[in-house]
């Protein structure tokens, strides 16, 4: 029995290909293997039916001409995952309380094993993610990848940019040093100067009319639950559309009409 | 795009796709390599630049340096360009909202079926202009310098006041001499327009976004008075504002 999990094996032959000649022994062995499960993987597959999905996802073709610029989206996602992982470790030590936030941030920086490295990674990871998301947006713009049929993926992308910037805004307050505190006060006051919604938005962010206890807890809840949850869900939708529609081909490639006939893998 | 153009695109795309390579392992390998580069850059930056932590936030003190993360510099810069207070919300909320809407709805008003960048001159010129404008504003914001230095000649009797002004971060929003931001009015010659009392009143009871310095008056009246004296001394007939030629400053 083959140890290769089912989704890694080629898809079973189409009926048209089976027509005529009887299967060779090799083909029969392959078909048999495809029936049985390969240990644990087979067990899981039999019960989840994940193979068709995984096969479709992994072995879908990416168009001719796909180049390094197409890695910017997944690199953005990787930066987000890195932020999530380092963020979880920071949350183990951080205390969102105005009297203790700064002390706990200092504790992470100075005492906790590798604490400064993890804080640094979270901090600079934010910068890297912002740069990558804008580069990815630039790539899809220059390649005209936001046009039919991928318009909705562009819209989701713009919402992701806004959410990522909001991560930057809400996270900046958390260490609660002078710089972060006063920069956030100004940021929220700027919001308050907006027409109609402005003052309400500012009150919502502050959790009241004044900066205080509830401001920090609000920023913390937004920074580690609300916004990352939204980002995660939207990345899911984004990737669903990418795998459903396929990534666009570089716009300077033209298909050669004569190769219209079906091809072998 | 009309129906014919859509169908043509889909046909063309399906050919190019069938001529491509499977996602696994070809694209996955590239993505993986890029993920390693990303990780390496993040760790390298963390090791090289660390994670600074300034002094503890203290809402009752006035040490104030409202400097955002670099990727918000362009927004802060936008604020300095727009001067009249009545128009501030245009800069803070209006322009960013309009830009965001234009970005969000891009696929719906850009209906040119052409995808090659060189065949979309208007879209590309618009994009390059936007990037250049944002880059320019970001660089200006980065060069504005830390808002914590009063960079003009100060008569000896006002030196203490100048120090208070510097540490209170007025320069985060005001220009004094060559230094400071222009979110609030220029204070270089403020003494000509406002008297000592008016300045003290502004400090205690300011208009947003300027923070109130009432706490300073309560906690340290002496410093508060030195600050007000210094600000009131900023007049055109004082030596500090004599023309200095190229503005290279002190
Ligand atoms: C959290 C942020 C984001 C993640 C994780 C992400 C991830 C991805 C991935 C993995 C792809 C596959 C192809 C590629 O990598 O180029 C993709 C495609 C795409 N993304 Fe994003 N993206 C993000 C943000 C954005 C933004 C801000 C935009 C634009 C406003 C955008 C628009 C698109 C479009 C239009 C495609 C289709 C490209 C094509 O088919 O060639 N995405 N995204």
């Amino acid at each position: 029995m083959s140890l290769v999990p089912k989704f890694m094996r080629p898809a079973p032959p189409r009926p048209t290909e089976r027509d005529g000649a009887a299967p060779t022994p090799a083909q029969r062995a392959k078909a048999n293997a495809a029936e049985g499960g390969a240990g644990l993987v087979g067990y899981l597959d039999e019960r989840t039916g994940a193979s068709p999905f995984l096969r479709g996802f992994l072995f879908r073709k990416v168009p001719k001409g796909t180049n390094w610029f197409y890695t910017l989206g997944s690199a953005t996602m990787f930066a987000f995952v890195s932020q999530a992982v380092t963020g979880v470790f920071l949350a183990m030590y951080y205390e969102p309380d105005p009297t203790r936030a700064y002390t706990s941030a200092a504790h992470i920086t100075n005492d906790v094993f590798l604490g400064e490295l993890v804080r640094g990674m979270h901090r600079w990871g934010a910068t890297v993610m912002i740069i990558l998301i804008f580069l990815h947006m630039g790539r899809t713009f220059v390649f005209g990848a936001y046009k039919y049929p991928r318009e909705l993926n562009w819209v989701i992308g713009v919402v992701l940019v806004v959410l990522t910037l909001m991560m930057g805004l809400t996270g900046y307050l958390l260490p609660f040093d002078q710089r972060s505190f006063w920069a956030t006060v100004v940021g929220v006051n700027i919001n308050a100067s907006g027409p109609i919604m402005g003052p309400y938005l500012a009150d919502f962010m502050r959790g009241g009319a004044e900066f205080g206890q509830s401001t920090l807890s609000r920023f913390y809840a937004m920074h580690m639950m609300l916004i990352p949850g939204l980002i995660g869900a939207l990345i899911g939708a984004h990737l669903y559309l990418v795998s459903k529609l396929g990534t666009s081909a570089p716009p300077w490639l033209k298909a050669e009409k004569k190769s219209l006939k079906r091809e072998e893998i | 795009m009309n129906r014919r153009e859509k169908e043509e695109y889909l046909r063309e795309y399906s050919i190019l796709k069938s001529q491509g390579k499977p996602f696994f392992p070809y694209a996955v390998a590239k993505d993986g390599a890029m993920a390693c580069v990303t990780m390496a850059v993040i760790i390298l930056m963390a090791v090289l630049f660390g994670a600074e932590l300034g002094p503890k936030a203290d809402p009752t003190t006035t040490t104030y340096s409202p400097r955002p993360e670099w990727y918000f510099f362009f927004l802060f810069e936008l604020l300095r360009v727009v001067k009249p207070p009545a128009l501030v919300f245009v800069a803070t909320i209006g322009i960013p909202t309009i830009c965001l809407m234009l970005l969000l709805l891009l696929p719906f008003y850009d209906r040119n079926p052409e995808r090659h960048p060189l065949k979309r001159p208007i879209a590309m010129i618009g994009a390059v202009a936007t990037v250049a404008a944002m880059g320019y504003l970001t660089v200006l914001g980065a060069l504005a310098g830390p808002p914590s230095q009063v960079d003009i000649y100060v008569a000896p009797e006002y030196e203490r006041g100048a120090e208070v002004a510097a540490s209170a971060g007025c320069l985060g929003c005001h220009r004094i001499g060559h230094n400071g931001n222009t979110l609030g009015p220029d204070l270089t010659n403020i003494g000509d327009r406002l008297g000592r009392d008016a300045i003290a009143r502004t400090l205690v009871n300011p208009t947003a976004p300027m923070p109130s310095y009432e706490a300073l008056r309560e906690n340290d009246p002496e410093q508060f008075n030195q600050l007000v004296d210094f600000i009131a001394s900023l007049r055109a007939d004082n030596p500090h504002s004599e023309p200095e030629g190229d503005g290279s400053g002190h």
Side-chain angles (χ1 to χ4, degrees), chain B residues 143-215:
Chain B
L143 293 182
S148 54
Q149 238 183 328
V150 174
D151 214 7
I152 51 171
Y153 169 75
V154 178
E157 68 265 35
Y158 298 125
E159 233 153 50
R160 283 288 300 134
E163 274 168 33
V164 179
S167 69
C170 313
L171 295 158
C173 303
H174 293 285
R175 185 169 272 264
I176 301 181
H178 294 301
N179 212 348
N181 291 329
T182 48
L183 173 62
D186 191 331
L187 295 184
T188 310
N189 297 320
I190 186 72
D192 291 339
R193 277 192 293 126
L194 293 183
R196 203 183 168 286
D197 293 344
I199 291 170
R201 240 178 291 128
T202 308
L203 287 177
V204 172
N205 213 347
T207 326
M210 179 163 155
S212 167
Y213 290 86
E214 192 174 357

Side-chain angles (χ1 to χ4, degrees), chain B residues 227-242:
Chain B
L227 171 66
V228 175
D229 286 338
F230 164 67
I231 301 288
S233 79
L234 295 169
R235 307 165 65 94
D237 53 7
N238 261 5
H240 71 262
S241 45
E242 258 157 36

Side-chain angles (χ1 to χ4, degrees), chain A residues 102 146-148 154 247 259, chain B residues 13 19 54 103 110 112 115:
Chain A
Y102 180 79
Y146 58 91
K147 302 192 174 204
Y148 176 82
W154 172 271
T247 46
S259 53
Chain B
Y13 178 69
Q19 290 169 342
L103 196 65
D110 174 8
N112 181 355
R115 282 159 207 253

